[in-house]
Amino acid sequence: MKKSLLALLLGSSVALAACGGGEEAEPEKETGGDTAAVDGEQVYKQSCLSCHGQNLEGGAGPALDKIGSKLSEEDILNVIKNGQGGMPPNITEGADAEAVASWLASQK
């Protein structure tokens, strides 16, 4: 049983490496604060979607579909940086956080 499991794990890791799954991600590029270079919606999908939903409808976290009519971009960035309620601080940081805040502020 242990040999079968080991063979399965080794085979999976070889397959992932062959498909590119074993490669390291490229280091993030400095944008110098230029949030236009970062896609806020894409960062949302990577970092926020699991709690706030595919369509901003909420789930474990509150709905964000109209958050821009309630909070300013600065307020949204403050929540991202400092957390609020059950949301921990700094889920995303830097230009990514700024891009998400900007994108969410446009959701009205």
Side-chain angles (χ1 to χ4, degrees):
M1 174 82 174
K2 289 183 182 180
K3 288 184 181 182
S4 297
L5 183 58
L6 182 60
L8 177 64
L9 290 174
L10 286 173
S12 297
S13 61
V14 169
L16 282 174
C19 294
E23 295 177 13
E24 292 197 21
E26 291 183 29
E28 289 186 27
K29 297 178 184 173
E30 280 292 322
T31 60
D34 181 13
T35 59
V38 179
D39 183 353
E41 183 176 8
Q42 196 61 31
V43 175
Y44 172 87
K45 288 178 181 178
Q46 294 169 350
S47 302
C48 313
L49 181 142
S50 61
C51 291
H52 295 285
Q54 176 80 27
N55 299 308
L56 308 170
E57 73 275 10
L64 300 176
D65 57 338
K66 293 181 174 56
I67 195 68
S69 64
K70 299 173 188 171
L71 298 177
S72 69
E73 182 176 339
E74 183 178 318
D75 292 336
I76 294 168
L77 184 58
N78 185 49
V79 171
I80 293 169
K81 287 181 176 181
N82 299 308
Q84 184 173 328
M87 180 176 160
N90 298 314
I91 295 287
T92 186
E93 300 177 292
D96 285 352
E98 292 172 12
V100 170
S102 176
W103 180 73
L104 286 173
S106 72
Q107 306 303 309
K108 299 181 180 193

